[in-house]
Amino acid sequence: MGEGEPTAEDADGEAEGAATAGGVDYAARAADTLGFSRWWQIAAAAGMMAAVSPYQYVWSSISPALSEGLDIALPALGAVFSFYVVFQSLSQFPAGKWRDSRGPGALTFLAAILAGGGYVGLAYATSLWQLYLLYSLGAVGVGIVYTVAVNTAVKWFPDRTGLTTGVGTMAFAAGSALVVPYVRANATVTAYSDVLRNIGIGILVVTLVGSLLLRDPPKDWLDRADGDDDGDEGLAASIRGRNYSTREMLTTWQFWLLYAMFIAMASADLLVIANVVRFAENFGLAALVATLSATLLPVAAGVSRLILGEATDRFSRKRVMAGSFLLAGLFRIGLVGAGEAGNGAVFVAFVLGAMFFSSPLYVFFPSLLADYYGAANSSGNYAVLYTAKVGGGVFSGVVAGYLVAALGWNPTFLLGGGLAVAAGLATFALRPPSGSGLETVEPAAAD
C-alpha cells in the first residue's frame, strides 16, 4: 500500500482513514522540494522535542531536592509548574503566527537559547522568584519548540498527520525517560545543580542543531495543476477542505467544544504527571513504586502517541479519540483503588494505563483541528487551541494543591478521572464545521 491518508468519512461527515488516496504521492513531492526524504524533518523535530521534555516530565523528580536545597515549601514550588504550563502554552500563538509566515529557523534558534539557558540558570538559582523567572523563560522556549515540531508534521505529512504528530509528541513524552533515572539517582542537595546544568547544555545543543535543519514546504508544493487528474478528491482533508483563518475558526462552535475538551483532558493528564510521586507516597507505597511510576510514565505517554496516532490515520479519528479519553478516565479512577489497596504493582500498571490513553490528546487535537480547519494556518490555529493547556496547568498545580489540602488526594484524582470521561463523551458531538467542504465528500478508494 502506498504512503498517505484516506479521505473516508464516518456518518457524521468526519474525515478519517489513512492510506494513499487518489494517486497523490506526497512523499515524492516532498523529496522533490527538499532534495531528501521528508522524514528527516520529523527526525529533527522529534529530537528537539525530546531535548526540551525535562521541563514537563522531570519536574516531579527534581522539585523535592530544590525544595530542600533552597528551603522552599513544596506547595510554593507547585506554582513553578503552573507558570511553566502558562508560558509554554501562551507562547505558542505568537510563535505559531510567526512560523506560518516566516518559517521555523530563527524562531527555533531563540527557543534553544531560552530552553537551554533556563535549565542551566536553575543550577545557580538561590531564591523562589529566580525559579519562577527561569522556568518561565525556559517554558517559552519549550512552547516554541512544541508548536514548530507538531506543525512540521502537519505541514509535511497531510496524509499521515496522526502518525507523524505522534512521533514528535512521543519524543516529548518518552525523551525524558532516560533522564528521570539520572535525576532520581542524583536529586540530592549536593548534586542537583550539576544535574540541572548538564541537562540544560544537552537541551541547548540538540535544539540548535534542529534549528539548522528545519524548513517549511512552499505554498505550491502540492500544486494541483502539475499533471494529476485527481483534483481535490486526491488530497487529504487538511488540504482538500477550506483553510480557516484564526478569526474564522473562533466563530465555529466546534472549536469551543474542542477547547473545553482540551482543558478537561490536559487537567487530567497533568494532574498525574505533576503529582505521581507524591500521590504514591501518600499511600505509603515503596520508594521503588514512585520511581517506577515516574520513570515509566513518559514511556507509556510516548508509545501511546505513536500507536494511537497511527490508529487515527487508519480508522475514525473521532472514535479512537472518544475511546481513548473514556479509558483514560477509568484508569484514573482505578488508580485511586490501587493506592487504597496498597498494591504497588497494580498502581504502576494503572499509572501506565492512565497515561497511555490520556497523553495522545496532543496527537488527536492537532490532527482533528487540521482536518476541520485546514493546514495553511495550522501553527497559529493550533496555538490558540493549545492555550487551553493553561487551564490544565492551573488545575494540576494551584487548584490541585488547594483541593488536596481541603479534600485529600483521592477526591482530587477522582475528579481528574471524571474530567477525562466527560471529554470522551463530548467527542461524539463533534463534526466538521458547516462550509468547510468536508460535509458530503464520498470515501476515496485506497491503494
Side-chain angles (χ1 to χ4, degrees), residues 187-324:
T188 64
V189 173
T190 56
Y192 78 82
S193 291
D194 289 339
V195 171
L196 292 170
R197 184 170 55 250
N198 292 340
I199 293 174
I201 292 172
I203 292 172
L204 178 65
V205 171
V206 174
T207 312
L208 282 175
V209 172
S211 72
L212 298 175
L213 296 175
L214 289 184
R215 55 188 290 196
D216 279 351
K219 294 185 183 299
D220 63 350
W221 80 289
L222 288 175
D223 186 355
R224 300 173 193 186
D226 62 356
D228 288 339
D229 297 324
D230 305 300
D232 290 357
E233 293 184 7
L235 297 173
S238 61
I239 302 295
R240 186 180 70 250
R242 173 186 171 192
N243 285 307
Y244 284 73
S245 69
T246 300
R247 185 184 298 273
E248 291 170 331
M249 177 184 72
L250 293 174
T251 65
T252 66
W253 66 263
Q254 287 90 341
F255 171 79
W256 294 108
L257 179 56
L258 286 168
Y259 199 88
M261 291 167 57
F262 201 122
I263 291 176
M265 285 309 304
S267 296
D269 191 64
L270 292 171
L271 179 65
V272 177
I273 292 171
N275 299 287
V276 66
V277 171
R278 283 183 287 168
F279 190 50
E281 291 172 348
N282 167 71
F283 292 113
L285 298 172
L288 178 61
V289 172
T291 298
L292 283 174
S293 296
T295 302
L296 297 178
L297 179 153
V299 176
V303 171
S304 70
R305 297 178 192 192
L306 191 63
I307 293 173
L308 295 182
E310 172 72 358
T312 64
D313 286 338
R314 295 183 176 276
F315 308 105
S316 165
R317 217 183 292 284
K318 192 174 76 172
R319 291 171 183 168
V320 173
M321 186 174 175
S324 183

Side-chain angles (χ1 to χ4, degrees), residues 58-295:
V58 172
W59 176 249
S60 67
S61 296
I62 199 68
S63 56
L66 281 168
S67 174
E68 183 180 355
L70 301 180
D71 193 24
I72 299 171
L74 275 173
L77 284 184
V80 175
F81 192 78
S82 291
F83 275 118
Y84 156 76
V85 175
V86 169
F87 282 94
Q88 189 248 2
S89 302
L90 296 184
S91 64
Q92 292 196 38
F93 179 67
K97 297 295 285 186
W98 174 287
R99 187 267 176 83
D100 281 336
S101 61
R102 304 189 186 186
L107 200 59
T108 48
F109 181 86
L110 173 63
I113 302 302
L114 291 173
Y119 238 86
V120 171
L122 288 174
Y124 303 98
T126 58
S127 62
L128 182 60
W129 74 265
Q130 292 173 351
L131 292 180
Y132 288 161
L133 176 63
L134 290 165
Y135 223 79
S136 297
L137 288 174
V140 173
V142 177
I144 293 171
V145 168
Y146 197 97
T147 193
V148 167
V150 167
N151 287 285
T152 291
V154 171
K155 291 178 183 296
W156 282 111
F157 286 82
D159 52 326
R160 305 194 73 179
T161 305
L163 174 63
T164 52
T165 55
V167 170
T169 57
M170 176 192 71
F172 187 68
S176 60
L178 296 177
V179 179
V180 169
Y182 167 62
V183 173
R184 293 281 293 173
N186 296 279
T188 64
V189 173
T190 56
Y192 78 82
S193 291
D194 289 339
V195 171
L196 292 170
R197 184 170 55 250
N198 292 340
I199 293 174
I201 292 172
I203 292 172
L204 178 65
V205 171
V206 174
T207 312
L208 282 175
V209 172
S211 72
L212 298 175
L213 296 175
L214 289 184
R215 55 188 290 196
D216 279 351
K219 294 185 183 299
D220 63 350
W221 80 289
L222 288 175
D223 186 355
R224 300 173 193 186
D226 62 356
D228 288 339
D229 297 324
D230 305 300
D232 290 357
E233 293 184 7
L235 297 173
S238 61
I239 302 295
R240 186 180 70 250
R242 173 186 171 192
N243 285 307
Y244 284 73
S245 69
T246 300
R247 185 184 298 273
E248 291 170 331
M249 177 184 72
L250 293 174
T251 65
T252 66
W253 66 263
Q254 287 90 341
F255 171 79
W256 294 108
L257 179 56
L258 286 168
Y259 199 88
M261 291 167 57
F262 201 122
I263 291 176
M265 285 309 304
S267 296
D269 191 64
L270 292 171
L271 179 65
V272 177
I273 292 171
N275 299 287
V276 66
V277 171
R278 283 183 287 168
F279 190 50
E281 291 172 348
N282 167 71
F283 292 113
L285 298 172
L288 178 61
V289 172
T291 298
L292 283 174
S293 296
T295 302

Side-chain angles (χ1 to χ4, degrees), residues 304-403:
S304 70
R305 297 178 192 192
L306 191 63
I307 293 173
L308 295 182
E310 172 72 358
T312 64
D313 286 338
R314 295 183 176 276
F315 308 105
S316 165
R317 217 183 292 284
K318 192 174 76 172
R319 291 171 183 168
V320 173
M321 186 174 175
S324 183
F325 290 171
L326 289 171
L327 287 170
L330 294 177
F331 269 105
R332 277 164 174 75
I333 294 169
L335 188 60
V336 173
E340 285 286 353
N343 192 319
V346 174
F347 183 90
V348 172
F350 276 35
V351 167
L352 300 185
M355 295 309 300
F356 185 92
F357 290 108
S358 68
S359 283
L361 78 100
Y362 301 107
V363 175
F364 300 150
F365 283 107
S367 300
L368 193 60
L369 198 75
D371 283 349
Y372 282 8
Y373 299 104
N377 301 308
S378 62
S379 297
N381 287 348
Y382 181 56
V384 174
L385 179 62
Y386 197 85
T387 62
K389 189 179 177 182
V390 173
V394 171
F395 178 85
S396 63
V398 177
V399 175
Y402 172 80
L403 291 175

